Amino acid sequence: MTVSRDPARGALAGLRVVDAATLFAGPMAALHLGDMGADVVKLEHPERPDPARTHGASENGVNLWWKTLGRNKRTATADLSTEGGREVLLALAERSDVVIENFRPGTLERWGLGYEELSARNPGLVLARVSGFGQVGPYRTRPGFGTLAEAMSGFAAMTGEPDGPPTLPPFGLADGIASLATAFAVMVALSARAGTGRGQVVDTAIIEPILAMLGPQITRWDRLGTVQPRTGNRSVNNAPRNTYRTGDGKWVAVSTSAQSIAERVVRLVGRPELADEPWFGSGAERARHADVLDAAVGGWIAARTRDEVVAAFEEAQAAVAPVYDASDIVDDPQFRELGTIHRIEDPELGPMLMQGPLFRLSGNDGVIRFTGRAHGADTDEVLAELGFTPERIAGLRAKGQV
């Protein structure tokens, strides 16, 4: 890997990544690397492209999710279960730093494409393996999706109203968290390679990163024998903490994780005496009196518009945020100043908005070079770079192997 000295190319320019995964966790990890400048080749089956291309909304038959998920990735095709497809991946591995895959454990080995074969071509290769349950254990061969991780991690059990069912998020939360963990693990492995010259295997089980984000639930169970209950929008750690409806029919969210913020909130809503209650000095004790605090805060907020509420909280230096949808996000001055939303020219649909890279760097900021490309759009270009002649490419295509 060569670090870029050109800020316009991104900090990871010179890093070569093969995205041989499908759906979300693996491809999103490749997306994060691509946003930072890595040259990512999206490798898909010739007849069965990534199912993510069919998820979500479309415009004139063109999938919109793929425009984001597939951005900064050149697209090529190869059936890895065939000899021709095997040759393609081996050639890519020889010239790449990272391969990301999410086949069921044992699949690549069955095709003669396990890490032993890939690293024989390139000892410095990092193979990132993303699966629902990891490469070992009794569940390793089960189909695995983020929804199952959201269930098994404890997330669903603690999410929802107290008298309601366990609740799943309306988007790929576990996949997204796993993608960040995988991208981080890849960079750790590459850092280790700088000292040893050798790559290694990254094993991401989607059930694990989301579990790590859920706080001390395991330690709590171990030491106290209790599990975190469902509390809706309330918190077991502090109050007031909830969403509240404003007088103009909109919503705001209030948090009081810090004691000083809680005191400012009750003073703001005209109930300063609550701060003198014996229970008010502890976040956990305030949470046990959430009914009282919610009534005070909710009643005050309900008598004002959202703009009035946000302005008053800001003046009082208390923590509040409007509950936004996409239209609000696009118009918000903070997101605008951060440069969160990018307008990108798409060859099929014209200029379109999408959220940008996850963070900014002062020297090598992330760049969206192009939106998600058509299935196999760059196959000939990618294979030519690997030394495949036009005649050989045509032969593989005739056999359905690319």
Side-chain angles (χ1 to χ4, degrees):
M1 178 178 67
T2 302
V3 175
S4 170
R5 299 186 184 278
D6 179 1
R9 295 181 62 211
L12 297 183
L15 184 73
R16 294 175 179 170
V17 178
V18 179
D19 173 9
T22 57
L23 292 171
F24 304 113
M28 286 181 70
L31 165 69
H32 302 318
L33 300 174
D35 280 354
M36 292 296 114
D39 175 18
V40 180
V41 174
K42 174 70 177 179
L43 195 61
E44 299 172 87
H45 191 281
E47 301 298 329
R48 299 189 298 277
D50 190 332
R53 290 180 178 272
T54 65
H55 281 236
S58 296
E59 179 183 351
N60 299 327
V62 178
N63 182 264
L64 296 178
W65 199 341
W66 180 254
K67 293 300 181 182
T68 297
L69 185 62
R71 74 187 186 202
N72 291 334
K73 301 178 185 181
R74 296 189 290 163
T75 58
T77 61
D79 182 351
L80 302 185
S81 67
T82 66
E83 185 57 34
R86 180 176 184 273
E87 292 175 9
V88 170
L89 185 58
L90 287 172
L92 279 167
E94 188 172 343
R95 294 162 176 81
S96 299
D97 299 282
V98 182
V99 172
I100 301 175
E101 63 93 8
N102 71 333
F103 297 100
R104 290 197 202 182
T107 300
L108 283 187
E109 286 76 10
R110 190 170 68 249
W111 293 338
L113 290 169
Y115 191 64
E116 183 177 348
E117 290 83 3
L118 296 177
S119 62
R121 293 287 190 98
N122 179 2
L125 182 73
V126 172
L127 175 63
R129 316 196 75 167
V130 185
S131 61
F133 304 101
Q135 299 297 308
V136 299
Y139 305 161
R140 61 190 290 270
T141 59
R142 288 183 182 180
F145 299 101
T147 297
L148 309 188
E150 288 144 13
M152 288 184 64
S153 65
F155 173 85
M158 65 173 66
T159 304
E161 295 299 325
D163 57 351
T167 302
L168 297 167
F171 65 100
L173 176 62
D175 285 297
I177 296 173
S179 78
L180 294 170
T182 301
F184 172 60
V186 163
M187 298 310 297
V188 170
L190 290 172
S191 178
R193 186 184 71 174
T196 65
R198 299 196 63 84
Q200 56 186 297
V201 176
V202 169
D203 177 8
T204 301
I206 299 175
I207 58 175
E208 290 185 303
I210 185 173
L211 174 60
M213 297 298 105
L214 295 180
Q217 61 166 328
I218 301 300
T219 306
R220 170 179 171 163
W221 176 85
D222 175 53
R223 305 306 302 174
L224 303 178
T226 62
V227 297
Q228 182 169 327
R230 289 191 289 281
T231 57
N233 289 324
R234 289 178 172 177
S235 169
V236 297
N237 302 310
N238 64 82
R241 192 269 196 179
N242 213 327
T243 57
Y244 305 92
R245 190 165 188 172
T246 61
D248 54 351
K250 299 179 180 179
W251 293 84
V252 296
V254 172
S255 177
T256 57
S257 296
Q259 178 69 22
S260 60
I261 299 294
E263 293 170 3
R264 292 171 194 168
V265 169
V266 293
R267 287 199 298 267
L268 172 64
V269 302
R271 297 293 305 277
E273 75 280 3
L274 291 174
D276 297 326
E277 293 287 346
W279 46 263
F280 196 86
S282 159
E285 284 298 317
R286 293 201 311 274
R288 294 187 180 94
H289 293 79
D291 286 344
V292 173
L293 292 168
D294 275 348
V297 175
W300 185 90
I301 288 175
R304 292 160 176 82
T305 68
R306 186 176 74 178
D307 289 347
E308 290 170 342
V309 170
V310 171
F313 267 72
E314 184 173 0
E315 184 177 355
Q317 298 186 45
V320 71
V323 176
Y324 277 171
D325 61 21
S327 64
D328 298 310
I329 293 168
V330 170
D331 289 336
D332 183 83
Q334 182 63 33
F335 284 120
R336 189 179 303 119
E337 185 68 21
L338 290 171
T340 305
I341 307 302
H342 293 226
R343 184 179 297 275
I344 308 299
E345 186 68 33
D346 179 74
E348 292 181 282
L349 299 175
M352 61 174 53
L353 298 180
M354 63 178 63
Q355 59 269 43
L358 299 175
F359 49 84
R360 287 155 299 284
L361 297 174
S362 61
N364 296 88
D365 213 358
V367 179
I368 303 176
R369 300 181 296 281
F370 50 87
T371 58
R373 292 173 59 73
H375 178 230
D378 305 293
T379 299
D380 287 10
E381 176 184 280
V382 170
L383 295 188
E385 292 174 359
L386 300 175
F388 286 64
T389 66
E391 293 77 18
R392 189 178 180 194
I393 296 171
L396 293 173
R397 183 170 282 121
K399 296 176 182 178
Q401 296 182 359
V402 300

